[in-house]
Amino acid sequence: MAGNSFGEIFRFTTWGESHGPAIGCVVDGVPARIPLAAEELQRWLDKRKPGQSRFTTQRREADEVKILSGVFEGQTTGTPVSLVIENQDQRSKDYGDIADKFRPGHADYTYWKKYGIRDYRGGGRSSARETAMRVAAGGIARKVLDHILPQPVTIRGALVQMGPHRIERANWDWDQIDGNPFWCPDAQAARDWEGFLDGIRKAGSSTGAVIEVVASGIPAGLGEPVYDKLDADLAKAMMSINAVKSVEIGAGLEAAALSGEENADEMRLDGNRVVFTSNKAGGILGGISTGQDVVVRFAVKPTSSILTPRKTVDRHGQETEIVTKGRHDPCVGIRAVPVGEAMMAIVLADHLLRQRALAGHVEA
Amino acid sequence: MAGNSFGEIFRFTTWGESHGPAIGCVVDGVPARIPLAAEELQRWLDKRKPGQSRFTTQRREADEVKILSGVFEGQTTGTPVSLVIENQDQRSKDYGDIADKFRPGHADYTYWKKYGIRDYRGGGRSSARETAMRVAAGGIARKVLDHILPQPVTIRGALVQMGPHRIERANWDWDQIDGNPFWCPDAQAARDWEGFLDGIRKAGSSTGAVIEVVASGIPAGLGEPVYDKLDADLAKAMMSINAVKSVEIGAGLEAAALSGEENADEMRLDGNRVVFTSNKAGGILGGISTGQDVVVRFAVKPTSSILTPRKTVDRHGQETEIVTKGRHDPCVGIRAVPVGEAMMAIVLADHLLRQRALAGHVEA
Amino acid sequence: MAGNSFGEIFRFTTWGESHGPAIGCVVDGVPARIPLAAEELQRWLDKRKPGQSRFTTQRREADEVKILSGVFEGQTTGTPVSLVIENQDQRSKDYGDIADKFRPGHADYTYWKKYGIRDYRGGGRSSARETAMRVAAGGIARKVLDHILPQPVTIRGALVQMGPHRIERANWDWDQIDGNPFWCPDAQAARDWEGFLDGIRKAGSSTGAVIEVVASGIPAGLGEPVYDKLDADLAKAMMSINAVKSVEIGAGLEAAALSGEENADEMRLDGNRVVFTSNKAGGILGGISTGQDVVVRFAVKPTSSILTPRKTVDRHGQETEIVTKGRHDPCVGIRAVPVGEAMMAIVLADHLLRQRALAGHVEA
Amino acid sequence: MAGNSFGEIFRFTTWGESHGPAIGCVVDGVPARIPLAAEELQRWLDKRKPGQSRFTTQRREADEVKILSGVFEGQTTGTPVSLVIENQDQRSKDYGDIADKFRPGHADYTYWKKYGIRDYRGGGRSSARETAMRVAAGGIARKVLDHILPQPVTIRGALVQMGPHRIERANWDWDQIDGNPFWCPDAQAARDWEGFLDGIRKAGSSTGAVIEVVASGIPAGLGEPVYDKLDADLAKAMMSINAVKSVEIGAGLEAAALSGEENADEMRLDGNRVVFTSNKAGGILGGISTGQDVVVRFAVKPTSSILTPRKTVDRHGQETEIVTKGRHDPCVGIRAVPVGEAMMAIVLADHLLRQRALAGHVEA
């Protein structure tokens, strides 16, 4: 009810502030007897970890995750999995100025209006540091998908737009993702973006981005009409990530401009298997997966932590100005890629368990 | 869990198939002693009702809503409000062809894969007929907002794009909304769209649309971090509406192309009141309302019921073709306007009650 | 949140007041392709129906249930099943006196304090009439259990104590249940109770009762530690029935007086099958079913509708007296038997689906 | 869904195994700006802590609770409160024998059947060690009640029966509770029990108990009809505590033997205030609090860890015997007293927040 949990059957709750002693989460609803080790989660956390290139915040965090419960002799037991990461490089002294002033574009003002108190150190609970636990929980979700489904599942994210610059879709090559600091599938675009983002960074400014996450190997039948449609839950999952301002499924916003003939994906047979001749639907019809790739896209706004002085007010009701110093990402969209992947994995694992509950016996 | 409910405290559950005897919903979580009459809900239902112009389906439904419980002597009692609408013009005979064949772009195939059975008559549960009950529940949500909040709340939707044709934002005039069959705030655009949509209609084709819903009078502080952010719940609410493929908050997708300086809304004072110099955020920061207008936009795909024959398969595993006859909307986005308004009202009412539960005593 | 729903995966919501136009419920979470007809639910409703002997209320209700959705061509479709019963014999004129006065032992006063308004006619929402929908939902739950489990499941309730008079456990014979108006398994006790209850009835008084419900054929493994233990959910389910004041599992309250040696059920083998040499546990250990009979007992207080004048207050803050006229049950425990059976079926069906979600693959 | 959470608005999730590195919980739904320090929770934990007399287990645990999040400058912030207690005295070597054998009366067998794996060390997740976190969460719940309600709230538990020996109700004196090792309100009974329990302890046997928990200062109007009645939620809360086999409200099981005249509590006025002339109802009518003391009683079975050899089976499907060595409580009911108090506080705090959400404005 207070909103720090996500999922119905595969359900996790995160806790912790940016500059508190630790952050953590409890994942309840993990099936028993799945092999699980902290290293398997660390792999994904390392992908999100700050300070890996000059394009992400220079805060130094090992982000080393520990498993405190729910695993016995290398396997899950069906009881809650408690994960914790200790905060290390907090530098609370940096944040004196924002104790009083509300940073424009940040959650400072709204937390204050909602609670009448706020842990201003590093953004407290509203900091994107919380997303580390999403990534860890997403690592467990991937294990659940792999454990239950006979076919391999692949969940990959990519940066498809930085600021106003989009990739060329014809250049898409998943193998490029790990070859640049942006998780960009278009090698040429990635090269161009380096210069663009260096300019932004040096100017103390910031820019937005668009991330696309694709899940392959997902069976048809996942998603619950009417309100817990697979796309509805994905929309919530992605929009809940810090700084996200839009979510699209498949053709997304562009579907509005299409005709019915262009938009509806036709069906054919490949042997006994139903195949679609296109995927405008993004793998979801009527809120239920079709068996095609599930495709989600979301836009991230430019971070509001910039060096240009901005007009604002303080908590004493005075007009003032603020410059947000400290260590920040010129394009927070980069580090949102593993977070989007994690949320995709979590939504799919949850709906797979839901489907098993209600329709485990259907073989149509 | 099976997904036919929405909301946490203000929570409703809908039921019914397009061609069953009736559709209905139960709204649980309505505060007591709110004056409520069926006519107040009918007002909104009439706005969504089919057959009001040549641009919407010619199915004839009075859509007369009855209140079966939860109201005593003209006031809510705090117990569940049960609403029902009897189906009248079902014409089940029209649907012989789709009993076997899966319509491309429809939920036929996915319901079949999920359940191994489907009520194919008029789309059954996947029909947009279900949205009538959202509109009815939304009518109650509006009453809850008005009952609790001291200031007036206005929730209005508008069609801002039809097919590839956008309105001119400079022409926005709320007073135009009721003056054309599209709920379009730009009188010139509305005139242009008539010809465009007549062409679509006569060709037996269809087109998509973009709807914008704006809520004014909403206090700061609504929305629960981290996973039940106000924007996250709005994203889920809108994406759960039939045919929706994208959801945006405030600047939305365009925020990706902005710089931090352009995007962050600065704050000033107007007397004692905090005001913002722009509203790129769409009235939400950190998942919590700022007190500005809450602005949501969503794109609706073109309906997949078109007269052009389309390639598909049937449930016996054979390739075939299908033409979707019957009565359909050339632009389902039109009738999505009151549905979007209703979902906005529902999300806001729910979060208002949630806020009252946890922070009713905060006066910052 | 407002409390008119029960269950997590098999979840139903009831609505309706005693003297409103109808009562009903929506069952969401029914697996698809289960054969279902209204007659199968009617069977259980007839068991609860008033006016079947001189020992239950003389209100005349056909209690004919209709299915409005979720069933197509005789099978469930996986979408919500909406059930409705129209109220017939309401006699609202009987209730003038209780519009103002709070009946001692009834919910009149607490509804008034909670809501500031109440539908006083026949108790409104607090009337035991609501339990008719539990029985209907329980009928669907039985179908779910039978559909999923390979072995037969039997859920039966019995009255084991009326007022101070207990049955003789040695006389227990399930075949006697239908042979007397009390669902009593001890033929001798049933005969004795007739005279006792006639005396109560003629005196315009009332008496309490204890009901025992036994479920056979339930597999081991149902129930979720720690807070959703099978016994915890059964306790909630039974305590939520009108007038219930205690719930016991297995040895129940008497377990307090036993030694560890007497209480712990030993285990042996019967071929490959684990068997227990006793069932003090009532079929549940650590909140999880053992595979033995699940045994629950609950006590029902005497109804507070009696002919003796009672001291009370009215809603204008005046002291007064009240005599509750109208048609009432001298022992409401009798009609609680099918309600207890229904709640048992509902809890078990829900936990069976929950188990399938998380541990469908375990075969230890 | 996997059952490790409790509450709707005031909601907590516990994690951890008896012999893992730590146990903990996350409390989500704590209103902001409540003063909170670890010491205030420690007070209640110390009451439950093992090893305080010769009548409880000799396991040595400091049970020192730490607050990891949700508190800033001594006040709650509205974000999740994460609590952790490190395990110290685990002695895992003691448990070799139970790795294979299922202890009668324990959850060993059912966890095995449910999950196909179990952390057998000290009972793993099924250990009563989990209840330490209930006590900690209960400490926060007490703070919430005190913070919101204008009047003082008192929640106290007492042992009212040990084995077959009941207290004399006429001797009830709350001041005696802290004067004996049993939280017994009858000084004479406490003295008698010492000898009784010494006998049990020296024989390596065990005995059950009955605990009564009373909450004073609770306003009328808490509890949600129909399924989330205050008594229904209390029944679930208490039955979820390890070893509990019955729950009663007010007159409880004895209500079955009463007449309507004896059972219904009459109402009078004390000045302007409604008062009841008795409290058979245990402070709850129709599932809603009346304003009288809320009275709950629950029975705890004798622990199944005894020195007498017991027949059982092992996980390889062989018949065998077992003696449960290790350190155990001869009467686990004693340490259940603070746990019952905690669950009472949690249910009341949750329902107080629920009431504020839906009916905060009612002043009847």
Side-chain angles (χ1 to χ4, degrees):
Chain A
M1 184 63 48
N4 294 282
S5 302
F6 189 87
E8 292 287 321
I9 297 184
F10 181 92
R11 183 171 178 84
F12 70 106
T13 303
T14 70
W15 55 267
E17 275 76 39
S18 177
H19 287 59
I23 58 173
C25 77
V26 184
V27 188
D28 201 15
V30 183
R33 301 205 295 186
I34 300 179
L36 184 67
E39 296 74 40
E40 294 174 285
L41 307 181
Q42 197 63 48
R43 165 186 173 195
W44 307 109
L45 281 162
D46 287 348
K47 198 170 166 184
R48 194 208 75 102
K49 201 166 60 175
Q52 298 192 105
S53 79
R54 68 182 183 277
F55 300 115
T56 56
T57 174
Q58 298 305 301
R59 176 171 173 162
R60 293 287 165 193
E61 289 288 354
D63 275 2
E64 188 188 332
V65 68
K66 285 180 204 155
I67 299 175
L68 296 184
S69 67
V71 175
F72 181 61
E73 297 182 344
Q75 288 192 309
T76 58
T77 60
T79 64
V81 179
S82 175
L83 303 175
V84 70
I85 293 175
E86 288 174 32
N87 288 328
Q88 297 176 320
D89 184 14
Q90 298 136 337
R91 286 208 210 172
S92 288
K93 57 188 179 301
D94 282 9
Y95 291 94
D97 198 34
I98 63 168
D100 271 340
K101 298 178 181 177
F102 303 123
R103 293 169 295 169
H106 276 281
D108 300 345
Y109 175 69
T110 53
Y111 269 65
W112 180 253
K113 291 299 282 184
K114 184 175 190 68
Y115 299 116
I117 185 176
R118 69 190 172 100
D119 179 349
Y120 50 78
R121 301 168 303 161
R125 182 74 183 142
S126 72
S127 165
R129 182 141 185 74
E130 187 271 346
T131 61
M133 298 320 306
R134 300 180 186 229
V135 172
I140 299 179
R142 288 176 190 262
K143 298 283 294 187
V144 171
L145 290 167
D146 286 341
H147 187 71
I148 294 177
L149 292 174
Q151 70 276 23
V153 170
T154 308
I155 296 171
R156 290 180 292 200
L159 212 67
V160 297
Q161 181 179 333
M162 178 179 287
H165 308 294
R166 298 190 185 188
I167 63 162
E168 184 65 50
R169 292 225 155 225
N171 293 348
W172 193 297
D173 176 3
W174 280 114
D175 290 340
Q176 296 298 325
I177 295 289
D178 295 321
N180 60 71
F182 310 117
W183 320 111
C184 177
D186 172 352
Q188 180 56 51
R191 278 188 293 273
D192 297 343
W193 294 354
E194 288 214 19
F196 171 72
L197 197 55
D198 268 329
I200 297 281
R201 185 170 60 86
K202 287 169 186 165
S205 183
S206 63
T207 191
V210 178
I211 291 95
E212 184 165 317
V213 182
V214 179
S216 304
I218 304 304
L222 305 194
E224 299 293 330
V226 173
Y227 296 97
D228 296 350
K229 288 184 164 88
L230 187 59
D231 37 359
D233 278 349
L234 285 168
K236 175 167 180 165
M238 300 308 170
M239 195 67 92
S240 77
I241 300 172
N242 307 45
V244 173
K245 298 304 286 183
S246 80
V247 182
E248 302 173 88
I249 306 293
L253 179 53
E254 293 186 6
L258 299 178
S259 68
E261 291 77 7
E262 293 164 319
N263 184 69
D265 308 306
E266 293 183 300
M267 283 178 270
R268 296 282 85 184
L269 293 172
D270 177 10
N272 284 328
R273 207 163 56 87
V274 170
V275 293
F276 293 80
T277 59
S278 56
N279 189 14
K280 291 288 198 304
I284 302 173
L285 283 173
I288 303 169
S289 62
T290 63
Q292 287 197 283
D293 282 0
V294 177
V295 181
V296 180
R297 234 169 6 265
F298 58 94
V300 174
K301 71 177 182 184
T303 180
S304 307
S305 298
I306 50 178
L307 290 184
T308 307
R310 303 286 290 164
K311 292 176 185 166
T312 191
V313 298
D314 64 23
R315 63 177 182 170
H316 310 296
Q318 300 298 318
E319 295 192 337
T320 182
E321 288 204 341
I322 192 165
V323 173
T324 313
K325 294 181 200 121
R327 303 152 298 174
H328 294 288
D329 293 277
C331 178
V332 288
I334 301 170
R335 290 173 61 211
V337 173
V339 181
E341 290 176 353
M343 294 310 288
M344 171 73 93
I346 286 162
V347 170
L348 291 171
D350 190 32
H351 274 281
L352 180 60
L353 297 178
R354 290 171 76 162
Q355 174 69 352
R356 196 159 67 164
L358 277 169
H361 59 302
V362 168
E363 305 215 352
Chain B
M1 184 65 47
N4 295 282
S5 302
F6 189 86
E8 293 287 321
I9 296 183
F10 182 92
R11 182 171 179 84
F12 70 105
T13 303
T14 70
W15 56 266
E17 275 77 38
S18 177
H19 286 60
I23 58 174
C25 77
V26 185
V27 188
D28 201 15
V30 183
R33 300 203 295 185
I34 300 179
L36 184 66
E39 297 71 42
E40 294 175 284
L41 308 181
Q42 196 63 47
R43 166 186 173 196
W44 306 109
L45 281 161
D46 288 348
K47 198 171 167 184
R48 194 209 74 103
K49 201 166 60 175
Q52 298 192 105
S53 80
R54 67 182 183 277
F55 300 115
T56 56
T57 174
Q58 297 307 301
R59 175 170 174 164
R60 292 289 166 193
E61 290 286 356
D63 275 3
E64 188 188 330
V65 68
K66 284 180 203 154
I67 299 176
L68 296 184
S69 67
V71 175
F72 181 61
E73 297 181 344
Q75 287 192 308
T76 59
T77 60
T79 65
V81 179
S82 175
L83 304 175
V84 70
I85 293 174
E86 286 174 35
N87 287 327
Q88 298 177 319
D89 184 13
Q90 297 135 338
R91 285 208 211 173
S92 288
K93 59 190 178 301
D94 281 11
Y95 291 94
D97 197 33
I98 64 169
D100 270 341
K101 298 179 181 177
F102 303 122
R103 292 169 296 168
H106 275 282
D108 301 344
Y109 175 69
T110 52
Y111 268 67
W112 181 253
K113 291 299 284 185
K114 183 174 190 70
Y115 299 115
I117 184 177
R118 69 190 171 100
D119 179 348
Y120 49 78
R121 301 168 305 162
R125 183 74 183 143
S126 72
S127 165
R129 183 143 184 73
E130 187 271 345
T131 61
M133 298 320 306
R134 301 180 186 228
V135 172
I140 299 180
R142 288 176 190 263
K143 297 282 295 186
V144 171
L145 291 166
D146 286 340
H147 186 70
I148 294 177
L149 292 174
Q151 70 276 25
V153 170
T154 308
I155 296 171
R156 290 180 292 199
L159 212 67
V160 297
Q161 181 179 334
M162 178 180 288
H165 308 295
R166 298 189 185 187
I167 63 161
E168 186 64 50
R169 292 224 155 224
N171 293 347
W172 193 298
D173 176 2
W174 280 113
D175 289 340
Q176 296 298 324
I177 294 289
D178 295 321
N180 61 71
F182 310 118
W183 320 110
C184 177
D186 173 352
Q188 180 58 51
R191 278 188 292 273
D192 297 343
W193 293 355
E194 287 214 21
F196 171 70
L197 197 55
D198 267 329
I200 296 280
R201 186 171 59 86
K202 287 171 185 164
S205 183
S206 64
T207 191
V210 178
I211 291 95
E212 184 165 316
V213 182
V214 180
S216 304
I218 304 304
L222 304 194
E224 298 294 329
V226 174
Y227 295 97
D228 296 351
K229 289 183 162 89
L230 187 59
D231 38 358
D233 278 350
L234 284 169
K236 175 167 180 165
M238 300 307 169
M239 195 67 93
S240 77
I241 300 172
N242 308 46
V244 173
K245 298 305 285 184
S246 81
V247 182
E248 301 174 88
I249 305 293
L253 179 53
E254 292 186 6
L258 299 178
S259 69
E261 291 78 7
E262 294 164 318
N263 185 69
D265 308 307
E266 293 182 300
M267 282 177 272
R268 295 282 86 184
L269 292 172
D270 177 9
N272 284 328
R273 207 164 55 87
V274 171
V275 292
F276 294 81
T277 59
S278 56
N279 189 13
K280 291 286 197 306
I284 302 173
L285 284 173
I288 302 169
S289 62
T290 62
Q292 288 196 283
D293 281 1
V294 177
V295 182
V296 180
R297 235 170 3 265
F298 58 93
V300 173
K301 70 178 184 184
T303 180
S304 307
S305 298
I306 50 177
L307 289 183
T308 307
R310 301 286 290 164
K311 292 176 185 169
T312 190
V313 298
D314 65 22
R315 65 177 182 169
H316 309 296
Q318 300 298 316
E319 295 191 337
T320 182
E321 288 203 340
I322 191 165
V323 174
T324 312
K325 293 179 201 125
R327 302 152 300 174
H328 295 288
D329 293 277
C331 177
V332 288
I334 301 169
R335 290 173 61 213
V337 173
V339 181
E341 291 176 353
M343 294 309 290
M344 171 72 93
I346 287 162
V347 170
L348 291 172
D350 190 31
H351 275 281
L352 180 61
L353 297 178
R354 291 171 77 163
Q355 174 68 352
R356 196 160 66 163
L358 277 168
H361 60 301
V362 169
E363 304 215 353
Chain C
M1 185 62 48
N4 294 282
S5 301
F6 189 87
E8 293 286 322
I9 297 184
F10 182 92
R11 183 170 178 84
F12 71 105
T13 303
T14 70
W15 55 267
E17 276 76 38
S18 178
H19 288 60
I23 58 174
C25 77
V26 184
V27 187
D28 200 15
V30 182
R33 300 204 296 186
I34 301 179
L36 183 67
E39 297 74 41
E40 294 174 284
L41 307 180
Q42 197 62 49
R43 166 187 174 195
W44 306 109
L45 281 161
D46 287 348
K47 198 171 167 183
R48 195 209 74 103
K49 200 167 61 176
Q52 300 192 104
S53 79
R54 68 182 184 277
F55 300 116
T56 56
T57 174
Q58 297 306 301
R59 176 170 174 164
R60 293 289 165 191
E61 290 286 356
D63 275 2
E64 188 188 330
V65 69
K66 285 181 204 153
I67 299 175
L68 295 184
S69 68
V71 175
F72 182 60
E73 297 182 344
Q75 288 192 308
T76 59
T77 60
T79 64
V81 179
S82 174
L83 304 175
V84 69
I85 294 175
E86 287 173 33
N87 287 328
Q88 298 177 319
D89 184 13
Q90 298 135 335
R91 285 207 211 172
S92 289
K93 59 189 177 302
D94 283 10
Y95 291 94
D97 198 32
I98 64 170
D100 271 341
K101 298 178 180 178
F102 303 123
R103 292 168 296 167
H106 276 282
D108 301 344
Y109 175 69
T110 53
Y111 268 66
W112 181 252
K113 292 298 283 185
K114 183 175 190 70
Y115 298 116
I117 185 177
R118 68 191 171 100
D119 179 350
Y120 50 79
R121 301 167 304 162
R125 183 73 183 144
S126 72
S127 164
R129 182 142 185 75
E130 187 270 346
T131 61
M133 298 319 307
R134 302 179 185 229
V135 171
I140 298 179
R142 288 176 189 263
K143 297 282 294 187
V144 171
L145 292 167
D146 286 341
H147 186 70
I148 294 177
L149 292 173
Q151 70 276 22
V153 170
T154 308
I155 296 171
R156 289 180 293 198
L159 211 67
V160 298
Q161 180 179 333
M162 177 180 288
H165 308 294
R166 298 189 184 188
I167 63 161
E168 185 65 50
R169 293 226 155 222
N171 293 347
W172 193 297
D173 176 4
W174 280 113
D175 290 341
Q176 295 300 325
I177 294 290
D178 295 322
N180 61 70
F182 310 117
W183 321 110
C184 176
D186 172 352
Q188 181 56 51
R191 277 188 293 274
D192 297 344
W193 294 354
E194 286 214 17
F196 170 72
L197 197 56
D198 267 329
I200 296 282
R201 184 171 59 86
K202 287 170 186 167
S205 182
S206 65
T207 192
V210 178
I211 291 94
E212 184 165 316
V213 181
V214 180
S216 304
I218 304 305
L222 304 193
E224 298 294 329
V226 173
Y227 295 97
D228 296 350
K229 288 184 163 88
L230 187 59
D231 38 359
D233 277 350
L234 285 168
K236 174 166 180 167
M238 301 306 170
M239 195 68 92
S240 77
I241 301 171
N242 308 48
V244 172
K245 298 304 286 183
S246 80
V247 182
E248 302 174 87
I249 306 292
L253 179 53
E254 292 187 6
L258 299 178
S259 69
E261 291 79 6
E262 292 164 320
N263 184 69
D265 307 308
E266 293 183 300
M267 283 177 270
R268 294 284 83 182
L269 293 172
D270 176 9
N272 283 329
R273 207 164 57 86
V274 170
V275 292
F276 293 81
T277 60
S278 56
N279 189 13
K280 291 289 198 302
I284 302 172
L285 283 172
I288 303 169
S289 63
T290 63
Q292 288 195 285
D293 281 1
V294 176
V295 181
V296 180
R297 235 170 4 266
F298 58 93
V300 174
K301 71 178 183 184
T303 180
S304 306
S305 297
I306 50 179
L307 290 183
T308 307
R310 304 284 290 163
K311 292 177 185 166
T312 190
V313 298
D314 64 23
R315 64 176 182 169
H316 309 296
Q318 300 297 317
E319 295 192 338
T320 182
E321 288 204 340
I322 192 166
V323 173
T324 313
K325 294 182 200 119
R327 304 151 299 172
H328 294 288
D329 294 277
C331 178
V332 287
I334 300 170
R335 290 173 61 210
V337 173
V339 181
E341 291 175 354
M343 295 309 290
M344 170 74 93
I346 286 161
V347 170
L348 291 171
D350 190 32
H351 275 281
L352 180 61
L353 297 177
R354 291 171 75 162
Q355 174 69 352
R356 195 159 68 163
L358 278 168
H361 60 301
V362 168
E363 304 214 354
Chain D
M1 184 63 47
N4 294 282
S5 302
F6 189 87
E8 293 287 320
I9 296 183
F10 182 92
R11 184 171 177 85
F12 70 105
T13 302
T14 70
W15 55 267
E17 276 76 39
S18 178
H19 287 59
I23 59 174
C25 77
V26 184
V27 187
D28 200 13
V30 183
R33 302 204 294 184
I34 301 179
L36 183 66
E39 297 72 41
E40 294 174 284
L41 307 180
Q42 197 63 46
R43 166 186 173 195
W44 306 109
L45 281 161
D46 288 348
K47 198 171 166 183
R48 195 210 73 104
K49 200 166 62 175
Q52 299 193 105
S53 80
R54 69 183 183 275
F55 300 115
T56 56
T57 174
Q58 298 306 301
R59 176 170 174 163
R60 293 287 165 193
E61 290 287 355
D63 275 2
E64 187 189 332
V65 68
K66 284 180 205 155
I67 299 175
L68 297 184
S69 68
V71 175
F72 182 60
E73 298 182 343
Q75 286 193 309
T76 58
T77 60
T79 65
V81 179
S82 175
L83 304 175
V84 70
I85 294 174
E86 288 174 32
N87 288 326
Q88 298 177 319
D89 184 15
Q90 299 136 338
R91 286 208 208 172
S92 287
K93 60 189 178 302
D94 282 9
Y95 290 95
D97 198 32
I98 64 167
D100 270 340
K101 297 178 182 178
F102 303 123
R103 292 169 297 168
H106 276 282
D108 301 344
Y109 175 69
T110 52
Y111 269 66
W112 181 252
K113 292 298 284 185
K114 183 174 190 69
Y115 298 116
I117 184 177
R118 68 188 173 101
D119 179 349
Y120 49 78
R121 300 167 303 162
R125 182 74 182 142
S126 72
S127 164
R129 183 144 184 72
E130 186 272 345
T131 61
M133 298 320 305
R134 300 180 186 229
V135 172
I140 298 179
R142 288 176 190 263
K143 297 283 294 186
V144 171
L145 291 167
D146 285 341
H147 186 71
I148 294 177
L149 292 174
Q151 70 275 24
V153 170
T154 309
I155 296 171
R156 289 180 293 198
L159 211 68
V160 297
Q161 181 179 332
M162 177 179 288
H165 308 295
R166 298 190 185 187
I167 62 160
E168 185 65 49
R169 293 226 154 221
N171 294 347
W172 192 298
D173 177 3
W174 280 114
D175 289 340
Q176 295 298 324
I177 294 290
D178 295 321
N180 61 71
F182 310 118
W183 321 110
C184 177
D186 172 353
Q188 180 58 50
R191 279 188 292 275
D192 297 344
W193 293 354
E194 286 216 18
F196 171 71
L197 196 56
D198 268 328
I200 297 281
R201 184 172 59 85
K202 287 170 186 164
S205 184
S206 64
T207 190
V210 178
I211 291 93
E212 185 165 314
V213 182
V214 180
S216 303
I218 304 303
L222 305 193
E224 298 294 330
V226 174
Y227 294 98
D228 297 350
K229 290 184 162 89
L230 186 59
D231 38 359
D233 278 349
L234 285 168
K236 175 166 178 166
M238 300 305 169
M239 195 67 93
S240 77
I241 300 171
N242 307 47
V244 172
K245 300 302 286 183
S246 81
V247 182
E248 301 173 89
I249 306 292
L253 179 52
E254 292 186 6
L258 299 178
S259 69
E261 290 78 8
E262 293 164 320
N263 184 69
D265 307 308
E266 292 182 301
M267 283 177 270
R268 295 282 84 183
L269 293 172
D270 177 9
N272 284 329
R273 208 164 56 86
V274 171
V275 293
F276 293 81
T277 59
S278 55
N279 189 13
K280 291 288 197 305
I284 302 172
L285 283 173
I288 302 169
S289 62
T290 62
Q292 288 197 282
D293 282 0
V294 176
V295 181
V296 180
R297 233 169 6 263
F298 58 93
V300 174
K301 70 179 184 182
T303 181
S304 306
S305 298
I306 50 179
L307 290 183
T308 308
R310 303 286 290 164
K311 291 176 183 166
T312 191
V313 299
D314 64 22
R315 65 176 182 169
H316 310 296
Q318 301 297 316
E319 294 190 337
T320 181
E321 287 203 340
I322 191 166
V323 173
T324 313
K325 292 179 201 124
R327 302 152 298 174
H328 294 288
D329 293 277
C331 178
V332 287
I334 300 169
R335 289 174 60 211
V337 173
V339 181
E341 291 175 353
M343 294 308 290
M344 171 73 94
I346 287 161
V347 170
L348 291 171
D350 190 32
H351 274 282
L352 180 60
L353 296 177
R354 291 171 76 164
Q355 175 68 354
R356 195 160 65 163
L358 277 168
H361 59 302
V362 169
E363 304 216 353

